[in-house]
Amino acid sequence: SIEVKNVSKIYGRGNTEIRAVDDVSLQVKSGEIVLIMGPSGSGKTTLLSMAGLLLRPTSGDIWVNGVQATNLTERQLPQLRLNSIGFVFQAYNLLASLTARENIEIVSNLAGIHASQARQRSEELLTLLGLETRMDHLPSDLSGGQKQRVAIARALANDPPLILADEPTGNLDSKTGYEVMELLCCGLGRDQGRSIVIVTHDHRLRNIADRVLWLEDGKLSDKVVPETI
Amino acid sequence: SIEVKNVSKIYGRGNTEIRAVDDVSLQVKSGEIVLIMGPSGSGKTTLLSMAGLLLRPTSGDIWVNGVQATNLTERQLPQLRLNSIGFVFQAYNLLASLTARENIEIVSNLAGIHASQARQRSEELLTLLGLETRMDHLPSDLSGGQKQRVAIARALANDPPLILADEPTGNLDSKTGYEVMELLCCGLGRDQGRSIVIVTHDHRLRNIADRVLWLEDGKLSDKVVPETI
Ligand SMILES: Nc1ncnc2c1ncn2[C@@H]1O[C@H](COP(=O)(O)OP(=O)(O)OP(=O)(O)O)[C@@H](O)[C@H]1O
Ligand SMILES: Nc1ncnc2c1ncn2[C@@H]1O[C@H](COP(=O)(O)OP(=O)(O)OP(=O)(O)O)[C@@H](O)[C@H]1O
Ligand SMILES: [Mg+2]
Ligand SMILES: [Mg+2]
C-alpha cells in the first residue's frame, strides 16, 4: 500500500521556480490498481518518483507499506525501496553493460535471493513478456518496446507489494500492451494484495483500473478528461 | 521523397543472426504521409534508420530525394542527412548539455542558417509545441513528453523535404498528441510537398495518414492488424 499526504515538489528557485506537484494526497490500498493520467508536463513522473522514494518531497508525508518514509534518513531508503517497491521508469534506466536477464537478476541478488532462483525468476518473467529469444542481449541490441518490457520484468523480479509504473506501454503495440496489462492486473498472484499505481497516457489501461485520477498543473482530481478523437 | 528497394538488415552472425528487416520495398512521394505499424521488435526502427541513412542496409538500395544514398561514401552521407532529412528518434537523443532551444538551433547552424534566423525558428517551433516556458531548460529538467516534443521540433528545424518520425507521440497525452499530429500533417507548409513516414503504435495517427503499412518479422505488407480492445 502507499499513502501520500499533502505532498508538494518545487524545482528551481526565484524566477525559475516551478511547482511540479502541488499539495497532492493519495491513498492506494492492497490489491488496488490506480491510474494517474494527465497532460504532458503536469507532474506525473515527479509524483511517482516521490512515491517511489527516488525524490524527496519539498513538503508533505509518504507512507510505504505502513512505514513513514519521509521520517527515514537517506541511508535507510534503499533497503525499503529494494524490498517494497518495483519501479518501471519512463526511460527504462536499464544498465547498459548487463544483458536483459542480468538486469533482472541483479535486483534479486541485491535482495539476497539465491542465484539459481533469481535466474529462474528472470527467465519466467522474460518469457511471459515475449522476450525468451532476447534474454542474453544487451539493451543496445534491443528495440524500444523490448527494453520497456525488460524494465517491467525488473520491477516484478522480487514480487514487491507495490508496483509504480511510469508509462509502461508507451512503446508497445496494441497486442503486446494488452498482454502487459493482463500480467500487471491479473497475472503473477496479484490477488495476494499488491498495490499498483500506473502513470499513463493510454486510455485503454482504464479497463484494468479500479480508479482513475487526473493530474494537471501538479494538482490531483478525479475529473478525468476523455480522449481527444 | 524516399524510395527503399529490396532492403534487408541482418544483425549478428551464425547462431545469433537476426534478420531484422527482410527484403522490404517502399516508396513515399512528395506530400504523402505514410504510417508504419507493427509489433514491438518487428524491425520498424531498423527500417526507419536505414531510410534515414543512419544505418547501412545489409543489401538493397535507398534513394533520398532522388539521390542514390547507397552509392555514396560514409563521408558524403552527413551532408545529405542534414539537408534532406528530419529524424525524430524513439529515445529522442537530445544533447544533454544543450538547452531545448540550443538543441534545435545547433542543427540550423550546421546547415549554415544565420544565428538570428535559427533562434526565431526554434522559438516558433517550441511555442507551437507548447514549450515556450521550457526553452532554456536542459533535457534533464524536462518531462518525457517535453523531451519528445523538443526532438520533434529539432526534426522540423531546417524544414526538410523528408520527415522520419519514430513513435513521436508515445509519451504524449491525447490532446498534446493531437496537436503534434496537426502540426506534422497540416501545419508548417506541408503543402510544399514534404514526405512524412511515421513509425507508430498509435492507431489514432491513422486519421492523418494517406497509407498505413504493417511490418511483422521484418516483412512489410498492407494487411494492418486492427487494435486489440
Ligand atoms: N544492434 C542490434 N543487434 C542485434 N539485434 C538488434 C539490434 N538492434 C535491434 N535488434 C533486434 O532487431 C529486431 C528489430 O528491432 P527494431 O528496433 O527495429 O524493432 P521495432 O519494430 O522498432 O520495435 P519497437 O516497436 O519495440 O520499437 C528486434 O528483435 C531487436 O531485438
Ligand atoms: N529536475 C527538474 N528541474 C526543473 N524542472 C523540472 C525538473 N524535472 C521536471 N521538471 C518540470 O516539472 C514539470 C513536471 O514534470 P514531470 O516529469 O513530472 O511531468 P509528467 O507529467 O511526467 O510529463 P510527461 O507526461 O511528459 O512524462 C514539467 O514542467 C517539467 O519540465
Ligand atoms: Mg513523465
Ligand atoms: Mg522501435
Side-chain angles (χ1 to χ4, degrees), chain A residues 45 90 166-167, chain B residues 144:
Chain A
T45 293
Q90 189 167 4
D166 200 346
E167 308 206 31

Side-chain angles (χ1 to χ4, degrees), chain A residues 40 90 149 171 173-174 228, chain B residues 40 90 149 171 173-174 228:
Chain A
S40 169
Q90 189 167 4
R149 283 177 274 164
N171 278 292
D173 55 284
S174 180
T228 308
Chain B
S40 169
Q90 190 167 3
R149 284 178 273 163
N171 279 292
D173 55 283
S174 181
T228 309

Side-chain angles (χ1 to χ4, degrees), chain A residues 30-228:
Chain A
S30 289
E32 223 188 344
I33 296 186
V34 174
L35 253 55
I36 301 178
M37 306 186 77
S40 169
S42 63
K44 304 180 298 299
T45 293
T46 303
L47 176 60
L48 208 70
S49 301
M50 291 190 288
L53 312 180
L54 298 163
L55 185 70
R56 280 284 194 194
T58 306
S59 56
D61 286 304
I62 295 175
W63 286 262
V64 171
N65 254 17
V67 178
Q68 189 170 4
T70 30
N71 264 0
L72 301 180
T73 65
E74 284 300 327
R75 299 176 114 240
Q76 290 170 305
L77 291 177
Q79 192 64 22
L80 183 58
R81 276 202 301 264
L82 186 67
N83 292 326
S84 304
I85 304 172
F87 201 101
V88 185
F89 292 88
Q90 189 167 4
Y92 324 143
N93 296 14
L94 300 179
L95 294 172
S97 50
L98 298 185
T99 64
R101 81 159 89 219
E102 287 168 344
N103 262 281
I104 297 159
E105 286 160 12
I106 194 175
V107 301
S108 298
N109 295 332
L110 286 169
I113 293 171
H114 285 293
S116 59
Q117 194 177 334
R119 191 176 178 82
Q120 200 179 335
R121 179 69 169 171
S122 72
E123 286 191 15
E124 172 193 19
L125 289 167
L126 289 171
T127 303
L128 278 167
L129 287 158
L131 296 173
E132 59 272 25
T133 61
R134 310 307 285 158
M135 293 201 264
D136 297 309
H137 281 77
L138 293 175
S140 55
D141 291 353
L142 298 178
S143 78
Q146 289 170 344
K147 284 188 278 222
Q148 189 159 40
R149 283 177 274 164
V150 175
I152 293 164
R154 181 178 61 181
L156 292 165
N158 297 340
D159 198 19
L162 175 65
I163 295 277
L164 304 176
D166 200 346
E167 308 206 31
T169 60
N171 278 292
L172 300 176
D173 55 284
S174 180
K175 180 161 176 286
T176 310
Y178 192 81
E179 290 163 4
V180 163
M181 277 163 48
E182 283 267 305
L183 190 68
L184 285 175
C185 89
C186 317
L188 297 173
R190 187 202 137 213
D191 45 340
Q192 288 150 21
R194 178 190 296 144
S195 307
I196 308 182
V197 183
I198 305 175
V199 159
T200 186
H201 290 306
D202 190 346
H203 285 263
R204 290 167 307 186
L205 279 170
R206 297 169 73 160
N207 297 327
I208 63 162
D210 296 309
R211 255 193 297 155
V212 185
L213 300 171
W214 186 261
L215 195 70
E216 183 151 0
D217 294 324
K219 299 181 191 63
L220 198 68
S221 74
D222 51 19
K223 67 152 201 70
V224 180
V225 173
E227 219 173 345
T228 308

